[in-house]
Amino acid sequence: VKNFSSGMNMRLGFAVAVNLQPDVLLLDEIFAVGGADFQRRCLKTMEKFRERGGTLLFVSHSPEAVSQICDRACVLDWGALVFHGPVRRGLVEYAALATHHGEVLPRAHTRPAPQPAGPRPA
């Protein structure tokens, strides 16, 4: 383990975490550290985890991964929750947020995003 890369450490951490059979699993951008084969195995493992009743909290910037894994979506802007609901609509909200450099445009179906306290980092 001493000579593992950061990606290898993350893959090992994922393997250990899922094999402990927790009730809740928090995954943050797990797909960023592996190739296509690792991603397929992760998806299969997450499906089995959810089938047995586990709760999965998946953090990602990948619309494809979110669509494939999630039932619901939350969109955060500088720590403020700006959307919670169906995945498809969450991805639309996320795209708007990314396109407008962190500012959600007011729409009939959403509230304007709360402004973060203090200046944003560059």
Side-chain angles (χ1 to χ4, degrees):
V1 182
K2 179 179 160 183
N3 296 320
F4 279 9
S5 68
S6 60
M8 291 170 74
N9 277 315
M10 289 197 60
R11 290 191 292 273
L12 177 61
F14 175 75
V16 169
V18 296
N19 284 299
L20 292 174
Q21 297 186 342
D23 293 327
V24 178
L25 189 59
L26 173 62
L27 300 174
D28 184 11
E29 295 286 358
I30 190 68
F31 296 122
V33 298
D37 184 52
F38 174 72
Q39 290 177 14
R40 276 191 300 280
R41 285 186 285 151
C42 279
L43 285 171
K44 191 172 197 171
T45 300
M46 286 185 274
E47 286 173 26
K48 287 180 183 177
F49 176 79
R50 291 181 63 210
E51 285 171 2
R52 75 165 181 80
T55 299
L56 180 66
L57 181 60
F58 179 65
V59 179
S60 180
H61 291 95
S62 168
E64 296 82 16
V66 170
S67 293
Q68 196 166 11
I69 295 168
C70 302
D71 296 330
R72 311 274 303 154
C74 293
V75 178
L76 302 176
D77 182 20
W78 294 93
L81 181 66
V82 295
F83 175 81
H84 175 242
V87 171
R88 180 175 281 167
R89 198 165 129 215
L91 293 174
V92 169
E93 295 294 328
Y94 176 74
L97 192 67
T99 300
H100 295 96
H101 306 287
E103 295 180 21
V104 175
L105 298 178
R107 293 188 205 117
H109 61 276
T110 61
R111 295 177 295 139
Q115 295 301 310
R120 289 188 176 186

